[in-house]
Amino acid sequence: MASLAYVVSPVDAVPEIPLGPIGLVDDLMVIIAAVVYVRGLIAARRDLGQAGLDHSGHAPRDLPRQPPPRLPRGRRGIRR
């Protein structure tokens, strides 16, 4: 939403009126960044769905819960 507001707003980092087509470069970069970000969100949601998880990363209630992973016995990761 913020990228759409930036593109349609009259205030730009690089103004279009004095610079002509060069002034559209910042708008184009904002649009490209927004598309890449949304595609990443869609891919992450698709990966969660394929893993059997809901959008919050939790297993749905109808799937059996897995026990938490156990730490190995011994020093338990303490370094000296």
Side-chain angles (χ1 to χ4, degrees), residues 13-71:
V14 181
E16 285 90 12
I17 293 175
L19 298 175
I22 297 173
L24 296 174
V25 171
D26 67 327
D27 293 334
L28 182 63
M29 296 305 286
V30 168
I31 291 170
I32 290 171
V35 168
V36 169
Y37 178 73
V38 169
R39 287 186 70 195
L41 290 176
I42 292 170
R45 180 166 263 204
R46 186 179 313 124
D47 292 343
L48 283 176
Q50 290 175 352
L53 303 174
D54 63 4
H55 67 279
S56 65
H58 295 95
R61 294 186 186 268
D62 58 342
L63 293 177
R65 295 226 175 237
Q66 298 290 328
R70 298 193 56 163
L71 293 174

